[in-house]
Amino acid sequence: TGSYKINCSIPTTGGNDGDEGAADNEEGEGGGTNNVSAASKKATTAAATTSSSSTVEIDFTPPFRRIRMIPELERQTGRRFPTDYTSKEAHSFLSSLCDEYNVTCHPPKTPARMLDKLVGRLLEKGCMNPSFITDHPAVLSPLAKHHRQHAGLTERFELFVCGKEIANAYTELNDPEVQRERFMAQAEAATQGDEEAQMLDETFCTALEYGLPPTAGWGLGIDRLVMMLTSQHSLREVLFFPAMRAS
């Protein structure tokens, strides 16, 4: 624990990907676990080091801030978000919200892609100190298990530092029928041109039919974390493989 002053690539000019729209949420869901004292909250911006980045101080003192995705989006936009993101109403709602906040979503404008872009603009960019974004809608998490308390959401969290995703974790979905339905929805998005959508994996679904015990997993982007801690602005500078580095 402690404070670390690092050079983090933060766009200093305007644009869809450079705005920092997320306000501090010190008293969100979870009561006292979300409160961060003034002494430990030190994300301050210093003089710009280049035309495209600035030096910031990142405080890793726990507890990290916790942000429930949809409630925080509703708080910032003043809008009530839908619960069924597959409906035409949800598509129209997200599309109009992207227009309102000048968020660019290149085709295909699926609900998942538009929601992801809104989260990137309104939430992720404001996560300078370590922050957890939790409770993602199922449309954003095809492999995550449904939330036990909130319908339409999943048991998932992502850790962000300096506006960048560092870790991703969730409870594994172990219902073969639900998993097959989500894969099919992803495959439909792929036919519309979504290159990030997953295709139907029938072998995986068949394996789930034999049974999968309660399972959870997480992944940490060590290369991105090292990049931040060593004040580098490119992943190529921290990768061991020579072929990934500029000559």
Coordinates of all heavy atoms in Angstrom, one line a residue, residues 6 22 38 45 54-55 86-87 125 153 207 212 214 220 223 234 244:
I6 N 3.1 8.2 -10.9 CA 3.5 7.6 -12.1 C 3.1 8.4 -13.3 O 2.2 9.3 -13.1 CB 2.8 6.2 -12.2 CG1 1.3 6.3 -12.3 CG2 3.2 5.3 -11.1 CD1 0.5 5.1 -12.6
A22 N -16.7 10.9 -15.2 CA -17.1 10.2 -14.0 C -16.8 11.1 -12.8 O -15.6 11.4 -12.6 CB -16.5 8.8 -13.9
A38 N -10.0 11.6 2.9 CA -9.4 12.7 2.1 C -7.9 12.5 2.1 O -7.2 12.8 1.1 CB -9.7 14.0 2.7
T45 N -3.7 16.0 -10.7 CA -3.1 16.1 -12.0 C -2.0 17.3 -11.9 O -2.3 18.3 -11.5 CB -4.1 16.5 -13.1 OG1 -5.1 15.5 -13.1 CG2 -3.4 16.6 -14.4
S54 N -0.2 13.4 -19.1 CA 0.1 14.2 -18.0 C 0.6 13.3 -16.9 O 0.3 12.1 -16.9 CB -1.1 15.0 -17.6 OG -2.2 14.2 -17.3
T55 N 1.2 13.9 -15.9 CA 1.7 13.1 -14.7 C 0.6 13.2 -13.6 O 0.2 14.2 -13.2 CB 3.0 13.7 -14.2 OG1 4.0 13.7 -15.2 CG2 3.5 12.9 -13.0
T86 N -32.2 -6.2 -24.7 CA -32.5 -6.8 -26.0 C -33.7 -6.2 -26.7 O -33.9 -6.5 -27.9 CB -32.7 -8.3 -25.9 OG1 -33.9 -8.6 -25.1 CG2 -31.5 -9.0 -25.3
S87 N -34.4 -5.3 -26.0 CA -35.6 -4.7 -26.6 C -35.3 -3.5 -27.5 O -34.2 -2.9 -27.4 CB -36.5 -4.2 -25.5 OG -35.9 -3.2 -24.7
K125 N -13.2 6.6 -17.3 CA -12.2 7.7 -17.4 C -12.1 8.4 -16.0 O -11.0 9.1 -15.8 CB -12.7 8.7 -18.4 CG -12.7 8.2 -19.9 CD -11.4 7.8 -20.3 CE -11.4 7.3 -21.8 NZ -10.1 6.8 -22.3
L153 N -28.5 -8.6 -14.2 CA -27.1 -8.3 -14.0 C -26.3 -9.5 -13.7 O -26.9 -10.6 -13.5 CB -27.0 -7.3 -12.8 CG -27.8 -6.0 -12.8 CD1 -27.5 -5.1 -11.6 CD2 -27.5 -5.2 -14.1
A207 N -20.0 -29.6 -22.5 CA -19.2 -29.9 -21.3 C -20.0 -29.4 -20.1 O -20.0 -30.1 -19.0 CB -17.9 -29.2 -21.4
L212 N -20.6 -28.4 -14.0 CA -19.5 -27.6 -13.6 C -19.8 -27.1 -12.2 O -20.8 -26.4 -12.0 CB -19.3 -26.4 -14.6 CG -18.3 -25.3 -14.2 CD1 -16.9 -25.9 -14.2 CD2 -18.4 -24.1 -15.0
P214 N -19.6 -24.8 -8.7 CA -19.5 -23.3 -8.6 C -18.1 -22.9 -8.7 O -17.1 -23.4 -8.1 CB -20.0 -23.1 -7.2 CG -21.0 -24.2 -6.9 CD -20.4 -25.4 -7.6
L220 N -5.6 -10.7 -14.4 CA -4.9 -9.5 -14.1 C -4.0 -9.1 -15.3 O -3.2 -10.0 -15.7 CB -4.1 -9.6 -12.8 CG -3.2 -8.4 -12.5 CD1 -4.0 -7.2 -12.1 CD2 -2.3 -8.8 -11.3
D223 N 1.1 -6.8 -17.6 CA 1.8 -6.0 -18.5 C 1.4 -4.5 -18.4 O 2.2 -3.6 -18.3 CB 1.8 -6.5 -19.9 CG 0.4 -6.8 -20.4 OD1 -0.6 -6.6 -19.6 OD2 0.2 -7.2 -21.5
S234 N 3.7 2.8 -23.5 CA 3.4 1.8 -24.5 C 3.7 0.4 -23.9 O 4.7 0.2 -23.1 CB 4.3 2.0 -25.7 OG 4.2 0.9 -26.6
M244 N 8.1 -7.5 -30.3 CA 7.0 -6.6 -29.9 C 7.6 -5.2 -29.6 O 6.8 -4.2 -29.4 CB 6.2 -7.0 -28.7 CG 5.5 -8.4 -28.9 SD 4.3 -8.3 -30.2 CE 3.1 -7.2 -29.4

